[in-house]
């Protein structure tokens, strides 16, 4: 679970060797601009002419420009925006306005430039809406009630769309009036025809309104006192004069009163159409249930969550001559505790640490492999086998390296290397039941058997059918593989624990949940210990400013010091309630306003998450999750690792965190390995400055 560097495709088409020394004078590109629907493709035709108008055989380059800042160091907004192939064909993936640079090198030594080039504007639009569906419509419509119409839109590609607002109309507004948002107000008994349109698609249904026999509304609550962030459930029952419950919709709302001086703002919270309510801030809240002329209310006292705890620095293992990537902490076969960390944009080093005494973090061994970056590190459950991912190998055969770490005090040794069909670079891996799930060129994951770690062998692989697919992270839990796939979102695959009969050798896809931002970078499946609900925590990664890390002018030079403004990241943690076999529901989010997320670890209903320039964040994820977890005061502690002697001086860029035996270990890109510990009691403040160790 690590950073994916932004990739900009540069492809060359060698049309043939030029027969003369004539210099290119004109580059003709047709069409001069493109408009494509999502999923469509087109091919750019090019001609290179000399000054006399003769066509030349010349190398043509195509570069997709995703935005104004297309340099590798300045990340684009999302991935898989569109693709350009070597023959000039363009495949549209995400809607938006883009540019394609078409270039040909000059050969006449013109001092004014070395390229002829054309910029081709590309507009990618979605296909029109072709189908409408009405979901969860009540069987009986009663006078005086209000119904929100749940109309689902599907386009020509079969995708459900939420970016188009349908239009609504009623044949008789005196019977059933519908507003522009799809709220149907049942005015009087009678019949009306409701029409819904979106693009060229249309649907109609008959609204038969009956007289309303309701005489009272009862409202039940699961609690009268709760903490901020606790979900309280309300259930409204509409009854007639005989006490019979009616199938009549109930609308929920709330009013709140808080102390602005104590809470920092007005009351806020969320209540859904099922009566689930959560308050972000402590205070007094009134929950209202309405159905026609019937009204009921309940009062709720919301207390502070009280999650905040003191955090203290325990130890720091400084790495100041190169950038640090991921970490893994484990108990060795000898009973001592160890950690392994990788390095980024350097010379292929991984460090083995003795962390038995967290206040004295010591490197006891170093492994060097043929790589620019050791991006990911994993250790088996028995603490005997470790795996390093490789990127930037000198021969471009990257793959993974398997280590024997059974006796770290004696020394770590390389058992094997596996690079078959993994030449594009392995960014992330996951170890599960003697199998390694290794990402290949950010396109798929290969399943590699490590039953004999000295002789790894591939037994299976999985990749999406989307031609513009991309993947960044994979985690296996109870035989289900969960992957983070940028634009394609979270993907679930049965590799031995589902009902589809999948296995490591025959993975079978269960389903997916796309994120329109295209930022889905990390995934962590977790079953809540307090509720039993299964959640998927899906992390964004998006840079808003600055180069990727910018601790100095040239990343990976090994020159200590600080040059320029560190990158400030954006993105947050999305929380999905998704039991395999059920429909996923996006229920909550955790967003740090000043930073963006990276790697995630959850244990005992506590989330440990790296937030780059926002440092380490420790978050209470106990109970049912709903709404804005940050505003609910669920943050237990934060720690920003400032190090004046680091690879990037005083520039926190926290990469990943892992709790181990009461200590929280985390790696920081600019300063190495850290160890911190939470205090026992609740505190009003948390230490955020790690300098001066």
């Amino acid at each position: 679970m690590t950073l994916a560097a932004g990739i900009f495709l540069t492809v060359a088409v060698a049309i043939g060797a030029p027969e003369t020394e004539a210099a290119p004078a004109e580059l003709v590109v047709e069409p001069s601009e493109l408009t494509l629907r999502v999923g469509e493709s087109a091919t750019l035709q090019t001609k290179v002419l000399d000054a006399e108008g003769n066509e030349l055989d010349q190398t043509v380059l195509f570069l997709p420009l995703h935005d104004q800042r297309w340099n590798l160091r300045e990340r684009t907004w999302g991935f898989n925006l569109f693709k350009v192939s070597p023959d000039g064909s363009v495949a549209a993936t995400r809607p938006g306005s883009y540019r394609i640079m078409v270039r040909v090198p000059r050969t006449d030594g013109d001092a004014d430039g070395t390229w002829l080039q054309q910029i081709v504007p590309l507009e990618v639009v979605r296909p029109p809406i072709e189908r409408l569906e009405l979901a969860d419509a009540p069987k009986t419509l009663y006078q005086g009630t209000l119904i929100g119409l749940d109309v689902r839109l599907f386009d020509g590609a079969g995708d459900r769309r939420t970016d188009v607002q349908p239009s609504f109309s009623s044949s008789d507004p005196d019977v059933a009036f519908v507003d522009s948002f799809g709220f149907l107000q049942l005015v009087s008994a009678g019949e009306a025809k409701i029409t819904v349109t979106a693009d060229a698609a249309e649907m109609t249904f008959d609204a038969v309104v009956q007289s309303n026999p309701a005489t009272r509304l009862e409202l039940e609550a699961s609690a009268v006192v709760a903490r901020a962030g606790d979900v309280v459930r309300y259930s409204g029952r509409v009854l007639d004069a005989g006490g019979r419950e009616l199938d009549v919709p109930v609308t929920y709302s709330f009013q709140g009163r808080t102390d602005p001086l104590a809470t920092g703002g007005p009351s806020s919270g969320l209540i859904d159409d099922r009566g689930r309510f959560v308050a972000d801030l402590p205070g007094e809240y009134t929950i209202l249930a309405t159905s026609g002329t019937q009204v009921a209310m309940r009062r709720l006292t919301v207390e502070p969550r009280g999650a905040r705890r003191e955090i203290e620095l325990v130890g720091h293992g400084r790495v100041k001559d190169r950038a640090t990537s991921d970490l893994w902490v484990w108990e060795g076969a000898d009973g001592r505790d160890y950690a392994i960390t990788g390095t980024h944009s350097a010379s292929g080093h991984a460090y083995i640490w003795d962390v038995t005494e967290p206040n004295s973090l010591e490197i006891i061994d170093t492994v060097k492999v043929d790589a620019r970056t050791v991006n990911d590190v994993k250790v088996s459950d028995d603490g005997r086998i470790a795996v390093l991912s490789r990127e930037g190998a000198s021969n471009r055969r990257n793959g993974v390296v398997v280590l024997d770490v059974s006796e770290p005090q004696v020394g770590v040794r390389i058992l094997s290397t596996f690079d078959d069909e993994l030449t594009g670079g392995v960014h992330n891996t996951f170890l599960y039941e003697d199998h390694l799930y290794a990402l290949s060129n950010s396109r798929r994951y290969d399943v590699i058997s490590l039953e004999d770690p000295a002789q790894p062998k591939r037994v299976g692989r999985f990749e999406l059918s989307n031609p513009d697919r991309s993947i960044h992270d994979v985690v296996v839990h109870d035989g289900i593989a969960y992957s983070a796939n940028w634009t394609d979102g979270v993907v679930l695959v049965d590799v031995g624990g589902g009902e589809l009969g999948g296995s490591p050798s025959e993975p079978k896809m269960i389903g997916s949940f796309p994120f329109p931002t295209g930022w889905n970078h990390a995934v962590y499946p977790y079953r809540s210990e307090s509720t039993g609900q299964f959640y998927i925590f899906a992390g964004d990664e998006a840079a808003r400013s600055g180069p990727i890390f910018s601790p100095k002018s040239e990343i990976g030079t090994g020159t200590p010091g600080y040059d320029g403004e560190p990158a400030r990241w954006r993105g947050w943690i999305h929380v999905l309630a998704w039991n395999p076999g059920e429909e996923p529901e996006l229920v909550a989010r955790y967003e740090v306003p000043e930073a963006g997320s990276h790697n995630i670890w959850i244990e005992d209903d506590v989330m440990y998450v790296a937030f780059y320039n926002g440092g380490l964040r420790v978050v209470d994820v106990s109970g049912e999750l709903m709404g804005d977890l940050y505003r609910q005061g669920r943050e237990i502690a934060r720690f920003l690792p400032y190090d004046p002697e680091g690879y990037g001086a005083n520039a926190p860029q926290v990469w990943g965190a892992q709790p181990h035996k009461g200590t929280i270990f985390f790696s920081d890109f600019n300063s190495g390995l850290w160890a911190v510990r939470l205090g026992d009691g609740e505190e009003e403040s948390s230490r955020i400055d790690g300098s001066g160790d």
Side-chain angles (χ1 to χ4, degrees):
M1 293 179 282
T2 47
L3 171 78
I7 299 175
F8 290 82
L9 181 64
T10 304
V11 293
V13 180
I15 302 176
E19 297 180 355
T20 70
E21 296 299 324
E26 182 180 3
L27 172 62
V28 180
V29 183
E30 295 181 349
S32 59
E33 59 183 41
L34 276 176
T35 298
L36 299 174
R37 291 178 178 174
V38 172
E40 291 183 338
S41 62
T43 301
L44 296 175
Q45 304 293 332
T46 61
K47 291 182 180 180
V48 182
L49 307 177
D50 64 14
E52 304 299 325
N54 300 311
E55 187 171 352
L56 304 176
D57 289 337
Q58 185 72 36
T59 298
V60 179
L61 303 176
F62 299 92
L63 294 90
L65 306 184
H66 293 164
D67 61 14
Q68 293 291 337
R69 299 176 300 129
W70 58 273
N71 185 281
L72 278 173
R73 294 176 179 272
E74 297 183 350
R75 300 288 305 283
T76 59
W77 283 90
F79 289 79
N80 296 339
L81 305 176
F82 67 96
K83 299 287 186 180
V84 182
S85 64
D87 63 355
S89 64
V90 182
T93 304
R94 292 180 55 200
S97 298
Y98 311 113
R99 299 169 300 140
I100 303 167
M101 180 184 289
V102 186
R103 314 179 81 186
V104 62
R106 295 179 185 268
T107 58
D108 61 357
D110 188 345
D112 294 333
T114 59
W115 299 91
L116 285 173
Q117 68 182 38
Q118 297 286 342
I119 301 297
V120 178
L122 169 64
E123 192 74 23
V124 180
V125 299
R126 291 190 180 274
I129 303 300
E130 290 190 357
R131 179 167 55 92
L132 307 176
E133 291 182 1
L134 179 63
D136 300 326
K139 297 179 181 178
T140 308
L141 305 180
Y142 291 108
Q143 177 184 354
T145 59
L146 181 68
I147 298 172
L149 299 177
D150 183 6
V151 178
R152 300 177 181 181
L153 285 61
F154 298 87
D155 62 23
D159 295 329
R160 184 177 172 184
R161 297 277 296 280
T162 58
D163 59 324
V164 175
Q165 177 63 40
S167 299
F168 301 87
S169 63
S170 171
S171 64
D172 191 346
D174 292 333
V175 172
F177 172 79
V178 61
D179 66 14
S180 59
F181 298 101
F183 285 96
L184 183 63
Q185 183 177 350
L186 305 175
V187 181
S188 61
E191 296 184 13
K193 185 180 293 293
I194 307 301
T195 302
V196 188
T197 60
D199 294 337
E202 179 179 290
M203 67 170 293
T204 62
F205 66 92
D206 294 325
V208 180
V209 184
Q210 300 181 15
S211 297
N212 195 339
T215 59
R216 69 182 189 276
L217 172 60
E218 296 180 351
L219 182 60
E220 297 178 351
S222 62
V224 294
V225 178
R227 299 175 302 166
D230 287 346
V231 176
V232 181
R233 293 177 176 265
Y234 293 88
S235 176
R237 300 172 64 241
V238 182
L239 307 175
D240 64 12
R244 180 172 61 93
E245 186 172 353
L246 304 173
D247 181 19
V248 179
V250 177
T251 301
Y252 299 94
S253 61
F254 73 93
Q255 296 176 343
R257 183 179 60 190
T258 65
D259 181 355
L261 295 179
T263 62
S267 64
S268 64
L270 176 67
I271 192 165
D272 65 13
D273 56 7
R274 287 182 280 176
R276 298 181 300 180
F277 171 73
V278 63
D280 293 337
L281 302 175
E284 297 295 326
Y285 291 81
T286 301
I287 311 302
L288 300 171
T290 60
S291 180
T293 59
Q294 306 301 318
V295 180
M297 66 179 63
R298 288 271 188 167
R299 293 292 180 89
L300 176 69
T301 298
V302 177
E303 300 175 342
R305 189 158 192 90
R308 182 75 71 177
R309 293 167 62 182
E310 185 74 13
I311 190 169
E312 62 179 0
L313 173 65
V314 178
H316 177 202
R318 179 178 288 118
V319 178
K320 62 181 181 179
D321 62 342
R322 66 198 66 222
T324 300
S325 58
D326 208 2
L327 84 161
W328 195 272
V329 187
W330 79 99
E331 181 182 315
D334 59 4
R336 297 185 67 81
D337 297 319
Y338 301 97
I340 182 171
T341 59
T343 56
H344 197 284
S345 302
S347 303
H349 289 85
Y351 299 124
I352 310 298
W353 305 74
D354 187 328
V355 298
T356 307
E357 300 295 333
N359 61 351
S360 179
L361 306 179
E362 179 186 1
I363 295 176
I364 60 173
D365 202 355
T366 300
V367 179
K368 187 179 186 306
V369 298
D370 181 7
R372 176 179 54 86
T373 292
V374 176
N375 197 68
D376 199 18
V377 293
K378 292 290 188 296
V379 178
S380 60
D381 290 340
D382 62 7
R384 294 182 176 275
I385 301 298
V387 176
L388 310 180
S389 71
R390 295 199 306 166
E391 295 180 278
S394 62
N395 61 0
R396 298 189 179 183
R397 298 186 64 85
N398 292 287
V400 297
V401 177
V402 183
L403 307 177
D404 179 352
V405 294
S406 58
E407 297 180 292
Q409 296 291 340
V410 176
V412 172
R413 63 189 181 94
I414 295 176
L415 288 174
S416 59
T417 298
F418 186 87
D419 57 20
D420 180 40
E421 298 185 37
L422 298 179
T423 57
V426 174
H427 199 65
N428 276 323
T429 66
F430 195 81
L431 272 170
Y432 179 78
E433 294 186 348
D434 296 325
H435 287 84
L436 178 70
Y437 295 74
L439 270 60
S440 177
N441 198 26
S442 299
R443 300 281 285 175
R444 65 174 191 267
Y445 54 81
D446 286 13
V447 187
I448 302 164
S449 172
L450 294 181
E451 293 178 326
D452 181 356
Q455 296 183 354
K457 62 179 180 179
R458 178 188 296 101
V459 296
R461 66 173 41 154
F462 177 82
E463 59 186 323
L464 294 172
S465 59
N466 172 14
D468 300 314
R469 61 194 175 276
S470 187
I471 184 173
H472 182 267
D473 189 24
V474 62
V475 175
V476 184
H477 176 81
D478 290 342
I480 305 295
Y482 301 81
S483 59
N485 295 71
W486 298 116
T487 303
D488 291 307
V490 173
V491 176
L492 276 63
V493 176
D494 181 357
V495 292
E499 300 179 354
L500 300 180
S503 66
S505 59
E506 294 186 13
K508 295 185 178 180
M509 183 169 168
I510 297 172
S512 65
F513 188 95
F515 288 99
T517 60
W519 300 338
N520 182 216
H521 160 276
V523 62
Y524 199 99
Y526 179 72
R527 186 171 298 280
S528 170
E529 291 194 0
S530 50
T531 67
Q533 172 65 52
F534 192 80
Y535 292 110
I536 299 173
F537 292 75
D540 291 333
E541 183 184 73
R544 282 291 297 270
S545 64
I548 296 177
F549 292 102
S550 65
K552 47 188 93 310
S553 57
E554 289 297 331
I555 294 176
T557 61
T559 304
Y562 169 79
D563 179 16
E565 177 73 13
R568 295 188 178 275
W569 298 80
R570 290 296 181 267
W572 56 86
I573 307 295
H574 306 258
V575 185
L576 286 163
W578 194 357
N579 291 302
E582 299 179 2
E583 287 293 317
E585 180 184 8
L586 193 59
V587 294
R589 67 190 286 171
Y590 177 74
E591 180 179 7
V592 174
E594 70 275 17
S597 68
H598 196 231
N599 288 351
I600 308 165
W601 190 289
I602 306 175
E603 217 174 85
D604 300 325
D605 285 357
V606 176
M607 177 170 66
Y608 306 86
V609 56
F611 260 88
Y612 280 129
N613 55 286
L616 166 73
R617 303 294 172 123
V618 185
V619 185
D620 170 15
V621 292
S622 64
E624 185 175 2
L625 302 180
M626 178 177 171
D628 189 335
L629 306 184
Y630 182 87
R631 280 184 57 81
Q632 293 165 11
R634 286 178 172 268
E635 185 171 278
I636 297 171
R638 71 187 72 168
F639 191 96
L640 275 73
Y642 291 102
D643 181 8
E645 299 180 34
Y647 175 68
N650 290 328
Q653 292 288 340
V654 177
W655 187 279
Q658 181 184 342
H660 183 76
K661 296 183 179 180
T663 300
I664 306 166
F665 296 89
F666 68 89
S667 61
D668 181 82
F669 185 90
N670 286 330
S671 54
L673 180 65
W674 296 74
V676 296
R677 190 170 292 155
L678 295 175
D680 294 331
E682 297 180 359
E683 298 289 345
E684 290 301 320
S685 62
S686 63
R687 179 174 178 176
I688 63 174
D689 184 354
S691 62
D693 59 301

